[in-house]
Amino acid sequence: MYQYLTSVLLLLCTCLTVHGKVRLHHMVGDNMILQQLSDARLWGWADPGKTVKVTVSWSDKKYQTVADEQGKWMVKVATPAASYTPLSITFDDGEQTTIKNVLSGEVWVGGGQSNMEMPMSGYHQCPTEGYNDEMVNARQYKGVHFCTLPMVRNIKPQDDVKCKWQVASPNTIGSFSAVGYYFAQNLNRALDIPIGIIIAVKGGSRVEAWLDYDNLKTYTDEPLDEEGMKKRYQYNWQWPLVWGNATFHPILNYTVKGILYYQGCSNVGDGHVHYAERLKLLIEQWRRDFGLGQLPFYITQVTPYYYFDSPEGDHRGRLIEQQMKASQSLPNVGIVCTQDLVYPWETKQIHPAQKKQVGDRLAYQVLNKQYGFKKLLCESPSYEKHTISNDTCYVTLRNMYKGFTVLQNCTLEGFEVAGEDRVFHPATAHPKGLNMVWMTCPQVKKPVAVRYCFRNWQNGNVFNSAYLPLSPFRTDDW
């Protein structure tokens, strides 16, 4: 009798081992948003050689695949047009697993560091402006779903990580990325379809944190082992490679529309001459790894702050210059300016409270360039060219639309000029026409260079007719 029971138990264990129930990637689950009108990828694990069948509620079409030697499988399913109609998907490898409340819509990724992560409820002593109002109104945005990946690191690329999709509600939005949530609200209202946001970030991370092993080895001198990382960097959030491996790599099979990127503070003053090159590498890397063509990529500029306790330094200006350079180096890349989005008391607040405007500006760019809202005024003004005549500098700006928001006889703040001694002094500047600024400076009789808000902390008041701020710039290369 004992031998019989033992044999039965062994048989049951063998059956359980050989015939394990299909396991889905954590992002393939209830409440997920599928990228509409695409061949959306669904994937997971099963016993090696096992056939996995997939059926969907919106179509009679059947899908199936076979798990490989490692038990991995993937199918691509044709998704319907965006709709608020709940969908379901059933996976069957002998045992069925069904996921529910799936919607078809638009899916965007939010990457970067803590200003992208910053939740609606804020951080300790870092409030997000407008949180209570948004909590009260959250039920209007049930079509907005979020999936936030945990911040984990690994020396090797990881395929999965524990996460789940959540529906916007008063009980959930507190943990949502504020920038991502405001971005999603705009798209949800403008397009009237479900919007999915995937957040994969790490606070304090440098751009090198997201580059893969091959890019880091080929184009940088970054340490690629943990001992080397510990020797070079005081904190692990500064480490290269490891955050991309475990916090971003797990989402690369997901079918998405585009990427929002809010990062740069941790690179301010640290190898900024390489930042544009490395950000360009990252854009190309993620486009390659998602395998979805020239994915739209939108960059958020770093905001004013007392970097290195120095308001007069130009570390931030140089990093923004690199961000602008990266945005111009590839097609389908945009950038938003945040020069005006700090309060006077936030000089040493690396997480400014005004996140709504950041999400709004990203959404305006995306709606204009990806969804056909061509009447949306989405571009900040930027430097185009300049001339110097005697003691007067003339700067021409692009993207002014219908002109300045200040009157022609008002003084523009934030401009500086320098002579051959390379010492900058505040200039007295005025608008001229729709897109030109002229300026003089009593201390500089023979100017050779102009800068605008190129310092770590500097106020400026130049806005175009869309109330978007002029991006910091310089005309010199000192």
Side-chain angles (χ1 to χ4, degrees):
M1 182 67 177
Y2 174 79
Q3 289 179 331
Y4 173 77
L5 289 173
T6 301
S7 299
V8 170
L9 287 172
L10 286 172
L11 180 61
L12 285 172
C13 289
T14 301
C15 290
L16 288 172
T17 301
V18 176
H19 302 291
K21 190 175 183 180
V22 65
R23 178 168 73 85
L24 303 177
H25 190 279
H26 279 84
M27 294 184 67
V28 181
D30 295 345
N31 304 317
M32 72 186 295
I33 303 283
L34 295 169
Q35 178 60 39
Q36 67 162 330
L37 301 174
S38 71
D39 292 324
R41 295 173 293 212
L42 306 173
W43 74 105
W45 295 264
D47 292 329
K50 201 71 175 289
T51 296
V52 178
K53 298 178 181 179
V54 180
T55 56
V56 296
S57 64
W58 62 88
S59 168
D60 293 331
K61 188 172 181 179
K62 310 294 184 183
Y63 304 88
Q64 72 176 44
T65 188
V66 176
D68 67 16
E69 294 178 353
Q70 287 75 45
K72 298 179 181 180
W73 58 265
M74 178 187 292
V75 297
K76 294 181 180 180
V77 301
T79 59
S83 168
Y84 295 106
T85 301
L87 310 171
S88 64
I89 307 173
T90 297
F91 303 86
D92 188 348
D93 70 340
E95 290 186 71
Q96 289 189 350
T97 297
T98 299
I99 60 174
K100 301 176 181 179
N101 197 36
V102 175
L103 298 179
S104 187
E106 293 289 288
V107 183
W108 284 81
V109 176
Q113 57 183 115
S114 53
N115 271 306
M116 179 61 82
E117 173 201 357
M118 187 171 175
M120 287 298 300
S121 60
Y123 295 130
H124 180 63
Q125 294 186 325
C126 302
T128 301
E129 192 172 69
Y131 170 57
N132 282 348
D133 289 341
E134 295 304 332
M135 176 170 279
V136 170
N137 295 322
R139 294 194 187 282
Q140 298 179 30
Y141 298 101
K142 292 180 181 179
V144 172
H145 294 195
F146 259 72
C147 183
T148 302
L149 274 70
M151 290 173 282
V152 292
R153 68 181 193 271
N154 202 294
I155 202 71
K156 297 291 184 182
Q158 301 299 296
D159 291 331
D160 198 6
V161 67
K162 289 186 177 181
C163 58
K164 64 179 181 179
W165 285 90
Q166 293 183 296
V167 180
S169 75
N171 293 325
T172 61
I173 69 161
S175 64
F176 289 1
S177 157
V179 170
Y181 186 52
Y182 285 119
F183 171 84
Q185 282 185 354
N186 279 282
L187 265 61
N188 182 241
R189 290 197 303 267
L191 303 172
D192 193 21
I193 59 175
I195 304 297
I197 302 291
I198 301 166
I199 298 296
V201 299
K202 172 56 184 175
S205 61
R206 302 163 67 244
V207 68
E208 293 82 3
W210 309 104
L211 290 173
D212 63 18
Y213 182 93
D214 289 341
N215 271 330
L216 289 166
K217 184 175 182 180
T218 303
Y219 299 106
T220 79
D221 65 349
E222 293 290 327
L224 297 174
D225 62 285
E226 290 200 16
E227 286 305 311
M229 295 175 196
K230 290 176 182 177
K231 288 179 181 178
R232 180 171 296 188
Y233 298 110
Q234 183 177 3
Y235 305 107
N236 63 35
W237 62 75
Q238 300 170 307
W239 290 5
L241 180 67
V242 296
W243 300 104
N245 276 346
T247 302
F248 203 93
H249 192 271
I251 75 173
L252 291 174
N253 282 334
Y254 210 90
T255 305
V256 303
K257 180 69 172 184
I259 301 171
L260 314 173
Y261 190 70
Y262 196 171
Q263 188 276 333
C265 293
S266 292
N267 285 94
V268 169
D270 179 20
H272 59 264
V273 294
H274 302 299
Y275 186 85
E277 171 193 326
R278 294 177 185 183
L279 182 52
K280 180 175 181 284
L281 281 174
L282 181 63
I283 297 169
E284 293 173 323
Q285 172 188 305
W286 281 349
R287 285 176 170 176
R288 178 201 69 201
D289 292 347
F290 273 109
L292 298 168
Q294 298 296 308
L295 278 177
F297 192 100
Y298 290 88
I299 301 164
T300 304
Q301 290 182 1
V302 293
T303 51
Y305 174 73
Y306 273 31
Y307 296 98
F308 307 105
D309 290 321
S310 171
E312 299 298 319
D314 63 4
H315 312 89
R316 177 185 70 102
R318 292 176 182 271
L319 195 284
I320 287 176
E321 187 175 61
Q322 292 282 303
Q323 290 179 310
M324 292 289 285
K325 184 178 179 181
S327 73
Q328 297 160 2
S329 67
L330 292 169
N332 220 12
V333 177
I335 189 166
V336 299
C337 178
T338 59
Q339 169 63 33
D340 59 322
L341 300 183
V342 289
Y343 290 116
W345 56 85
E346 292 184 313
T347 57
K348 296 187 178 182
Q349 175 55 277
I350 197 65
H351 305 116
Q354 299 176 70
K355 290 295 184 283
K356 180 180 188 303
Q357 295 87 335
V358 181
D360 289 350
R361 290 174 188 179
L362 286 166
Y364 298 157
Q365 290 241 346
V366 165
L367 286 167
N368 178 294
K369 297 176 183 180
Q370 309 302 325
Y371 297 108
F373 285 69
K374 297 303 181 184
K375 298 296 184 181
L376 262 177
L377 308 180
C378 66
E379 297 285 4
S380 271
S382 60
Y383 167 82
E384 182 174 351
K385 62 183 180 179
H386 77 286
T387 60
I388 297 174
S389 177
N390 298 319
D391 66 344
T392 305
C393 301
Y394 300 88
V395 176
T396 301
L397 306 175
R398 58 169 65 92
N399 298 323
M400 288 303 294
Y401 298 118
K402 295 183 179 180
F404 298 87
T405 58
V406 300
L407 298 177
Q408 295 293 314
N409 60 352
C410 292
T411 300
L412 298 174
E413 300 174 357
F415 287 97
E416 296 181 291
V417 297
E420 292 181 353
D421 61 0
R422 300 187 177 188
V423 177
F424 282 90
H425 301 272
T428 301
H430 301 278
K432 181 179 176 63
L434 296 180
N435 66 342
M436 182 177 285
V437 178
W438 67 273
M439 69 199 73
T440 59
C441 175
Q443 296 94 335
V444 184
K445 298 301 182 182
K446 294 182 178 180
V448 298
V450 178
R451 291 184 175 186
Y452 176 76
C453 289
F454 206 72
R455 299 187 184 276
N456 292 342
W457 183 275
Q458 189 171 11
N459 293 324
N461 66 347
V462 182
F463 295 81
N464 63 16
S465 59
Y467 284 90
L468 294 173
L470 174 59
S471 182
F473 70 86
R474 61 173 175 164
T475 65
D476 62 274
D477 59 358
W478 303 334

